[in-house]
PDB file of all heavy atoms in Angstrom:
ATOM      1  N   GLU A  93      -7.493   9.200 -14.851  1.00 97.00           N
ATOM      2  CA  GLU A  93      -6.925  10.545 -14.990  1.00 97.00           C
ATOM      3  C   GLU A  93      -7.408  11.214 -16.282  1.00 97.00           C
ATOM      4  O   GLU A  93      -7.750  12.403 -16.295  1.00 97.00           O
ATOM      5  CB  GLU A  93      -5.395  10.462 -14.966  1.00 97.00           C
ATOM      6  CG  GLU A  93      -4.705  11.817 -15.046  1.00 97.00           C
ATOM      7  CD  GLU A  93      -3.202  11.713 -14.881  1.00 97.00           C
ATOM      8  OE1 GLU A  93      -2.687  10.665 -14.437  1.00 97.00           O
ATOM      9  OE2 GLU A  93      -2.520  12.705 -15.214  1.00 97.00           O
ATOM     10  N   THR A  97      -9.890  14.606 -16.544  1.00 98.00           N
ATOM     11  CA  THR A  97      -9.334  15.763 -17.251  1.00 98.00           C
ATOM     12  C   THR A  97     -10.275  16.255 -18.333  1.00 98.00           C
ATOM     13  O   THR A  97     -10.500  17.465 -18.480  1.00 98.00           O
ATOM     14  CB  THR A  97      -7.969  15.399 -17.874  1.00 98.00           C
ATOM     15  OG1 THR A  97      -7.106  14.925 -16.850  1.00 98.00           O
ATOM     16  CG2 THR A  97      -7.346  16.614 -18.548  1.00 98.00           C
ATOM     17  N   VAL A 140       3.199  27.113 -18.681  1.00 98.00           N
ATOM     18  CA  VAL A 140       2.723  26.115 -17.708  1.00 98.00           C
ATOM     19  C   VAL A 140       3.859  25.159 -17.390  1.00 98.00           C
ATOM     20  O   VAL A 140       4.484  24.597 -18.294  1.00 98.00           O
ATOM     21  CB  VAL A 140       1.509  25.337 -18.260  1.00 98.00           C
ATOM     22  CG1 VAL A 140       1.106  24.232 -17.287  1.00 98.00           C
ATOM     23  CG2 VAL A 140       0.341  26.281 -18.518  1.00 98.00           C
ATOM     24  N   ILE A 141       4.148  24.987 -16.093  1.00 98.00           N
ATOM     25  CA  ILE A 141       5.185  24.058 -15.632  1.00 98.00           C
ATOM     26  C   ILE A 141       4.485  22.983 -14.819  1.00 98.00           C
ATOM     27  O   ILE A 141       3.903  23.261 -13.770  1.00 98.00           O
ATOM     28  CB  ILE A 141       6.246  24.785 -14.791  1.00 98.00           C
ATOM     29  CG1 ILE A 141       6.898  25.897 -15.618  1.00 98.00           C
ATOM     30  CG2 ILE A 141       7.304  23.800 -14.303  1.00 98.00           C
ATOM     31  CD1 ILE A 141       7.863  26.772 -14.820  1.00 98.00           C
ATOM     32  N   GLY A 142       4.507  21.751 -15.328  1.00 98.00           N
ATOM     33  CA  GLY A 142       3.680  20.684 -14.755  1.00 98.00           C
ATOM     34  C   GLY A 142       4.447  19.679 -13.926  1.00 98.00           C
ATOM     35  O   GLY A 142       5.675  19.596 -13.990  1.00 98.00           O
ATOM     36  N   PRO A 143       3.714  18.861 -13.145  1.00 97.00           N
ATOM     37  CA  PRO A 143       4.315  17.833 -12.288  1.00 97.00           C
ATOM     38  C   PRO A 143       4.290  16.461 -12.955  1.00 97.00           C
ATOM     39  O   PRO A 143       3.744  16.291 -14.043  1.00 97.00           O
ATOM     40  CB  PRO A 143       3.389  17.851 -11.077  1.00 97.00           C
ATOM     41  CG  PRO A 143       2.036  18.064 -11.705  1.00 97.00           C
ATOM     42  CD  PRO A 143       2.254  18.959 -12.911  1.00 97.00           C
ATOM     43  N   ASN A 145       3.224  13.524 -11.067  1.00 97.00           N
ATOM     44  CA  ASN A 145       2.332  12.550 -10.424  1.00 97.00           C
ATOM     45  C   ASN A 145       1.007  12.384 -11.170  1.00 97.00           C
ATOM     46  O   ASN A 145       0.456  11.300 -11.257  1.00 97.00           O
ATOM     47  CB  ASN A 145       2.087  12.918  -8.959  1.00 97.00           C
ATOM     48  CG  ASN A 145       1.475  14.290  -8.793  1.00 97.00           C
ATOM     49  OD1 ASN A 145       1.768  15.216  -9.548  1.00 97.00           O
ATOM     50  ND2 ASN A 145       0.631  14.448  -7.796  1.00 97.00           N
ATOM     51  N   TYR A 146       0.484  13.491 -11.702  1.00 98.00           N
ATOM     52  CA  TYR A 146      -0.683  13.448 -12.593  1.00 98.00           C
ATOM     53  C   TYR A 146      -0.317  14.290 -13.821  1.00 98.00           C
ATOM     54  O   TYR A 146      -0.709  15.448 -13.927  1.00 98.00           O
ATOM     55  CB  TYR A 146      -1.933  13.996 -11.887  1.00 98.00           C
ATOM     56  CG  TYR A 146      -2.450  13.080 -10.808  1.00 98.00           C
ATOM     57  CD1 TYR A 146      -2.057  13.246  -9.483  1.00 98.00           C
ATOM     58  CD2 TYR A 146      -3.314  12.030 -11.116  1.00 98.00           C
ATOM     59  CE1 TYR A 146      -2.508  12.385  -8.494  1.00 98.00           C
ATOM     60  CE2 TYR A 146      -3.771  11.169 -10.131  1.00 98.00           C
ATOM     61  CZ  TYR A 146      -3.368  11.354  -8.822  1.00 98.00           C
ATOM     62  OH  TYR A 146      -3.817  10.493  -7.839  1.00 98.00           O
ATOM     63  N   PRO A 147       0.438  13.715 -14.747  1.00 98.00           N
ATOM     64  CA  PRO A 147       1.038  14.513 -15.824  1.00 98.00           C
ATOM     65  C   PRO A 147       0.054  15.011 -16.868  1.00 98.00           C
ATOM     66  O   PRO A 147       0.411  15.848 -17.704  1.00 98.00           O
ATOM     67  CB  PRO A 147       2.042  13.548 -16.447  1.00 98.00           C
ATOM     68  CG  PRO A 147       1.472  12.188 -16.181  1.00 98.00           C
ATOM     69  CD  PRO A 147       0.834  12.299 -14.819  1.00 98.00           C
ATOM     70  N   PHE A 148      -1.190  14.535 -16.829  1.00 98.00           N
ATOM     71  CA  PHE A 148      -2.232  15.024 -17.742  1.00 98.00           C
ATOM     72  C   PHE A 148      -3.248  15.867 -16.987  1.00 98.00           C
ATOM     73  O   PHE A 148      -3.488  17.032 -17.319  1.00 98.00           O
ATOM     74  CB  PHE A 148      -2.912  13.837 -18.430  1.00 98.00           C
ATOM     75  CG  PHE A 148      -3.943  14.226 -19.462  1.00 98.00           C
ATOM     76  CD1 PHE A 148      -3.655  15.152 -20.459  1.00 98.00           C
ATOM     77  CD2 PHE A 148      -5.200  13.641 -19.459  1.00 98.00           C
ATOM     78  CE1 PHE A 148      -4.604  15.507 -21.411  1.00 98.00           C
ATOM     79  CE2 PHE A 148      -6.150  13.977 -20.410  1.00 98.00           C
ATOM     80  CZ  PHE A 148      -5.847  14.914 -21.388  1.00 98.00           C
ATOM     81  N   TYR A 149      -3.823  15.321 -15.934  1.00 98.00           N
ATOM     82  CA  TYR A 149      -4.885  16.006 -15.195  1.00 98.00           C
ATOM     83  C   TYR A 149      -4.422  17.341 -14.614  1.00 98.00           C
ATOM     84  O   TYR A 149      -5.085  18.365 -14.775  1.00 98.00           O
ATOM     85  CB  TYR A 149      -5.399  15.104 -14.074  1.00 98.00           C
ATOM     86  CG  TYR A 149      -6.413  15.761 -13.167  1.00 98.00           C
ATOM     87  CD1 TYR A 149      -7.748  15.843 -13.533  1.00 98.00           C
ATOM     88  CD2 TYR A 149      -6.037  16.299 -11.937  1.00 98.00           C
ATOM     89  CE1 TYR A 149      -8.689  16.449 -12.699  1.00 98.00           C
ATOM     90  CE2 TYR A 149      -6.956  16.893 -11.099  1.00 98.00           C
ATOM     91  CZ  TYR A 149      -8.282  16.973 -11.490  1.00 98.00           C
ATOM     92  OH  TYR A 149      -9.196  17.578 -10.669  1.00 98.00           O
ATOM     93  N   THR A 150      -3.292  17.341 -13.938  1.00 98.00           N
ATOM     94  CA  THR A 150      -2.877  18.554 -13.233  1.00 98.00           C
ATOM     95  C   THR A 150      -2.501  19.700 -14.172  1.00 98.00           C
ATOM     96  O   THR A 150      -3.044  20.803 -14.032  1.00 98.00           O
ATOM     97  CB  THR A 150      -1.736  18.239 -12.253  1.00 98.00           C
ATOM     98  OG1 THR A 150      -2.202  17.269 -11.294  1.00 98.00           O
ATOM     99  CG2 THR A 150      -1.303  19.487 -11.506  1.00 98.00           C
ATOM    100  N   PRO A 151      -1.598  19.513 -15.123  1.00 98.00           N
ATOM    101  CA  PRO A 151      -1.287  20.656 -15.992  1.00 98.00           C
ATOM    102  C   PRO A 151      -2.450  21.089 -16.867  1.00 98.00           C
ATOM    103  O   PRO A 151      -2.578  22.272 -17.190  1.00 98.00           O
ATOM    104  CB  PRO A 151      -0.109  20.159 -16.841  1.00 98.00           C
ATOM    105  CG  PRO A 151      -0.180  18.678 -16.777  1.00 98.00           C
ATOM    106  CD  PRO A 151      -0.729  18.350 -15.427  1.00 98.00           C
ATOM    107  N   MET A 152      -3.339  20.142 -17.219  1.00 98.00           N
ATOM    108  CA  MET A 152      -4.493  20.526 -18.036  1.00 98.00           C
ATOM    109  C   MET A 152      -5.470  21.399 -17.266  1.00 98.00           C
ATOM    110  O   MET A 152      -6.280  22.108 -17.858  1.00 98.00           O
ATOM    111  CB  MET A 152      -5.193  19.284 -18.569  1.00 98.00           C
ATOM    112  CG  MET A 152      -4.494  18.660 -19.767  1.00 98.00           C
ATOM    113  SD  MET A 152      -4.550  19.691 -21.248  1.00 98.00           S
ATOM    114  CE  MET A 152      -6.292  19.531 -21.676  1.00 98.00           C
ATOM    115  N   GLY A 153      -5.389  21.388 -15.922  1.00 98.00           N
ATOM    116  CA  GLY A 153      -6.173  22.334 -15.141  1.00 98.00           C
ATOM    117  C   GLY A 153      -5.774  23.760 -15.415  1.00 98.00           C
ATOM    118  O   GLY A 153      -6.585  24.683 -15.240  1.00 98.00           O
ATOM    119  N   SER A 154      -4.545  23.954 -15.846  1.00 98.00           N
ATOM    120  CA  SER A 154      -4.088  25.276 -16.300  1.00 98.00           C
ATOM    121  C   SER A 154      -4.224  25.411 -17.810  1.00 98.00           C
ATOM    122  O   SER A 154      -4.746  26.408 -18.307  1.00 98.00           O
ATOM    123  CB  SER A 154      -2.634  25.501 -15.880  1.00 98.00           C
ATOM    124  OG  SER A 154      -2.489  25.517 -14.482  1.00 98.00           O
ATOM    125  N   ILE A 155      -3.770  24.406 -18.549  1.00 98.00           N
ATOM    126  CA  ILE A 155      -3.761  24.495 -20.014  1.00 98.00           C
ATOM    127  C   ILE A 155      -5.169  24.663 -20.571  1.00 98.00           C
ATOM    128  O   ILE A 155      -5.438  25.558 -21.377  1.00 98.00           O
ATOM    129  CB  ILE A 155      -3.092  23.245 -20.625  1.00 98.00           C
ATOM    130  CG1 ILE A 155      -1.605  23.203 -20.256  1.00 98.00           C
ATOM    131  CG2 ILE A 155      -3.256  23.227 -22.144  1.00 98.00           C
ATOM    132  CD1 ILE A 155      -0.929  21.880 -20.588  1.00 98.00           C
ATOM    133  N   PHE A 217       2.346  27.164 -12.170  1.00 98.00           N
ATOM    134  CA  PHE A 217       3.323  26.180 -11.691  1.00 98.00           C
ATOM    135  C   PHE A 217       2.675  25.206 -10.719  1.00 98.00           C
ATOM    136  O   PHE A 217       1.907  25.604  -9.841  1.00 98.00           O
ATOM    137  CB  PHE A 217       4.486  26.881 -10.979  1.00 98.00           C
ATOM    138  CG  PHE A 217       5.401  25.920 -10.244  1.00 98.00           C
ATOM    139  CD1 PHE A 217       6.366  25.203 -10.930  1.00 98.00           C
ATOM    140  CD2 PHE A 217       5.262  25.722  -8.875  1.00 98.00           C
ATOM    141  CE1 PHE A 217       7.188  24.299 -10.262  1.00 98.00           C
ATOM    142  CE2 PHE A 217       6.076  24.823  -8.197  1.00 98.00           C
ATOM    143  CZ  PHE A 217       7.045  24.114  -8.894  1.00 98.00           C
ATOM    144  N   THR A 218       3.022  23.916 -10.848  1.00 98.00           N
ATOM    145  CA  THR A 218       2.654  22.893  -9.872  1.00 98.00           C
ATOM    146  C   THR A 218       3.913  22.136  -9.489  1.00 98.00           C
ATOM    147  O   THR A 218       4.645  21.653 -10.352  1.00 98.00           O
ATOM    148  CB  THR A 218       1.619  21.913 -10.432  1.00 98.00           C
ATOM    149  OG1 THR A 218       0.486  22.636 -10.906  1.00 98.00           O
ATOM    150  CG2 THR A 218       1.170  20.932  -9.369  1.00 98.00           C
ATOM    151  N   GLY A 219       4.162  22.035  -8.185  1.00 97.00           N
ATOM    152  CA  GLY A 219       5.349  21.337  -7.711  1.00 97.00           C
ATOM    153  C   GLY A 219       5.531  21.573  -6.226  1.00 97.00           C
ATOM    154  O   GLY A 219       4.578  21.856  -5.504  1.00 97.00           O
ATOM    155  N   GLU A 241       0.462  25.895  -7.281  1.00 97.00           N
ATOM    156  CA  GLU A 241      -0.074  24.801  -6.463  1.00 97.00           C
ATOM    157  C   GLU A 241       1.128  24.002  -6.007  1.00 97.00           C
ATOM    158  O   GLU A 241       1.826  23.397  -6.808  1.00 97.00           O
ATOM    159  CB  GLU A 241      -1.050  23.939  -7.269  1.00 97.00           C
ATOM    160  CG  GLU A 241      -1.877  23.005  -6.372  1.00 97.00           C
ATOM    161  CD  GLU A 241      -1.267  21.629  -6.229  1.00 97.00           C
ATOM    162  OE1 GLU A 241      -1.541  20.765  -7.080  1.00 97.00           O
ATOM    163  OE2 GLU A 241      -0.518  21.420  -5.246  1.00 97.00           O
ATOM    164  N   CYS A 275      -1.367  15.096  -4.314  1.00 95.00           N
ATOM    165  CA  CYS A 275      -1.194  16.300  -3.492  1.00 95.00           C
ATOM    166  C   CYS A 275      -2.433  16.620  -2.674  1.00 95.00           C
ATOM    167  O   CYS A 275      -2.340  17.242  -1.617  1.00 95.00           O
ATOM    168  CB  CYS A 275      -0.816  17.489  -4.369  1.00 95.00           C
ATOM    169  SG  CYS A 275      -2.010  17.868  -5.655  1.00 95.00           S
ATOM    170  N   PHE A 437      -9.965  25.219  -7.598  1.00 98.00           N
ATOM    171  CA  PHE A 437      -9.028  24.402  -6.829  1.00 98.00           C
ATOM    172  C   PHE A 437      -7.733  25.163  -6.618  1.00 98.00           C
ATOM    173  O   PHE A 437      -7.176  25.746  -7.538  1.00 98.00           O
ATOM    174  CB  PHE A 437      -8.737  23.086  -7.554  1.00 98.00           C
ATOM    175  CG  PHE A 437      -7.721  22.232  -6.841  1.00 98.00           C
ATOM    176  CD1 PHE A 437      -8.044  21.587  -5.660  1.00 98.00           C
ATOM    177  CD2 PHE A 437      -6.441  22.089  -7.352  1.00 98.00           C
ATOM    178  CE1 PHE A 437      -7.101  20.805  -4.995  1.00 98.00           C
ATOM    179  CE2 PHE A 437      -5.502  21.310  -6.699  1.00 98.00           C
ATOM    180  CZ  PHE A 437      -5.837  20.668  -5.520  1.00 98.00           C
ATOM    181  N   ILE A 448      -7.142  27.256 -10.094  1.00 98.00           N
ATOM    182  CA  ILE A 448      -7.477  26.682 -11.389  1.00 98.00           C
ATOM    183  C   ILE A 448      -8.877  26.088 -11.253  1.00 98.00           C
ATOM    184  O   ILE A 448      -9.425  26.014 -10.159  1.00 98.00           O
ATOM    185  CB  ILE A 448      -6.461  25.615 -11.843  1.00 98.00           C
ATOM    186  CG1 ILE A 448      -6.383  24.464 -10.825  1.00 98.00           C
ATOM    187  CG2 ILE A 448      -5.093  26.248 -12.029  1.00 98.00           C
ATOM    188  CD1 ILE A 448      -5.537  23.288 -11.271  1.00 98.00           C
ATOM    189  N   HIS A 449      -9.471  25.696 -12.374  1.00 98.00           N
ATOM    190  CA  HIS A 449     -10.813  25.088 -12.431  1.00 98.00           C
ATOM    191  C   HIS A 449     -11.904  26.128 -12.125  1.00 98.00           C
ATOM    192  O   HIS A 449     -11.682  27.139 -11.461  1.00 98.00           O
ATOM    193  CB  HIS A 449     -10.954  23.907 -11.468  1.00 98.00           C
ATOM    194  CG  HIS A 449      -9.989  22.789 -11.728  1.00 98.00           C
ATOM    195  ND1 HIS A 449      -9.810  21.736 -10.847  1.00 98.00           N
ATOM    196  CD2 HIS A 449      -9.149  22.546 -12.772  1.00 98.00           C
ATOM    197  CE1 HIS A 449      -8.905  20.899 -11.328  1.00 98.00           C
ATOM    198  NE2 HIS A 449      -8.494  21.379 -12.494  1.00 98.00           N
TER     199      HIS A 449
END
Side-chain angles (χ1 to χ4, degrees):
E93 182 174 345
T97 304
V140 175
I141 301 174
N145 59 325
Y146 289 94
F148 184 50
Y149 175 82
T150 300
M152 281 293 289
S154 297
I155 294 169
F217 170 80
T218 305
E241 194 266 273
C275 58
F437 177 72
I448 59 173
H449 300 169

